[in-house]
Amino acid sequence: MEPTTRSIARTYSDRVYPDPWQKVEDYQRVQAYAAEHPNAGRTAVGTALELPAGRVRPWLNGGRPDPVRGIETASANGWLDPECDMAGALVKLLAHVLAGGSINETFVPAITIGRRVDREAIEAAFAAVGVDTHCRHANSDGRATELYPATDASVLGRCLVAMGAPQGAKTALDAVPAVVWESPESIRRRFVEVYVAHRGLHFETKATTRIQEERPKSYIVDLHKLISESVSSHVSYGERGITISANAARELGFA
């Protein structure tokens, strides 16, 4: 399951390596060769592995490429090839980001507090993946209050991007990320509950709710399918969005 070492590595950019994963592999080759030949210097290692000595030198002196650091951080937090509980927590956090948050240019994810999604719910979502949160814009009249990770923020954001979250604008996303469809039914249902909590419009006089998205039609179709498969009551869609019937909304916990 995403994220994997390879997909996280590929969220990085590099001036030398078109594929940053190859840089990770070269670093690993250098470390393996140095372990077997402890007396070999940078020139000998570089010659043996057909790598420039200048590239090898920092790796022999304790330096690590950024993708390697990111992979190590993700692994230490349990985010790589996550087991059941962590996988569910990451998919739930993905729902928060897709429906009510964003990932900025430095890969830091942030989630906006909403009518149905309070601060405690967002804090709990971050806590489930092992991070505390900071809050910003709490006293600003012109900006929404957001929570973001207090530690390992950019690595967590890269994990979410590897899972299918867009970095920056979300309007081009054309399908529900594959990792959601690959999850067990209970996790898909929780994804839907979180998504609708963020995006579902609240009506004072009826329990019906609507989701309106400025995204490609293929995304609307995919999201409609996901919601429909999570409830037994009627859910419809059209060009302007998705309508969740009162009974379906109640099934999702919205009275």
Side-chain angles (χ1 to χ4, degrees), residues 157-169:
R158 290 177 187 276
C159 289
L160 293 167
V161 168
M163 294 171 67
Q167 181 189 17

Side-chain angles (χ1 to χ4, degrees), residues 53-72:
R55 190 179 308 167
V56 168
R57 179 177 60 183
W59 298 350
L60 293 176
N61 294 331
R64 290 168 294 167
D66 288 341
V68 172
R69 293 179 183 274
I71 288 168
E72 290 174 350

Side-chain angles (χ1 to χ4, degrees), residues 60-207:
L60 293 176
N61 294 331
R64 290 168 294 167
D66 288 341
V68 172
R69 293 179 183 274
I71 288 168
E72 290 174 350
T73 298
S75 179
N77 282 290
W79 301 334
L80 278 181
D81 299 308
E83 297 183 357
C84 184
D85 288 347
M86 181 59 76
L90 285 168
V91 171
K92 180 179 176 181
L93 189 61
L94 178 65
H96 279 288
V97 169
L98 291 182
S102 62
I103 298 175
N104 70 11
E105 66 280 0
T106 58
F107 287 90
V108 175
I111 300 170
T112 301
I113 295 173
R115 180 187 179 91
R116 290 174 171 152
V117 185
D118 58 20
R119 178 169 182 163
E120 289 72 21
I122 298 171
E123 288 176 337
F126 278 119
V129 300
V131 297
D132 293 327
T133 59
H134 287 315
C135 181
R136 63 190 177 202
H137 311 317
N139 299 314
S140 173
D141 293 333
R143 305 187 69 175
T145 302
E146 295 179 323
L147 297 180
Y148 62 97
T151 55
D152 300 330
S154 65
V155 175
L156 179 56
R158 290 177 187 276
C159 289
L160 293 167
V161 168
M163 294 171 67
Q167 181 189 17
K170 297 181 289 186
T171 53
L173 190 65
D174 60 4
V176 172
V179 69
V180 179
W181 291 108
E182 294 164 0
S183 298
E185 181 180 353
S186 60
I187 294 177
R188 296 199 304 272
R189 167 64 179 255
R190 189 63 187 131
F191 179 97
V192 168
E193 291 171 350
V194 170
Y195 200 102
V196 175
H198 276 287
R199 299 294 298 169
L201 298 175
H202 174 77
F203 299 107
E204 294 289 347
T205 59
K206 57 184 178 180

Side-chain angles (χ1 to χ4, degrees), residues 17 22 26 29-30 43-53 55-56:
Y17 290 86
Q22 186 182 352
D26 280 352
R29 290 198 301 131
V30 168
T43 301
V45 174
T47 299
L49 300 179
E50 299 182 341
L51 293 171
R55 190 179 308 167
V56 168

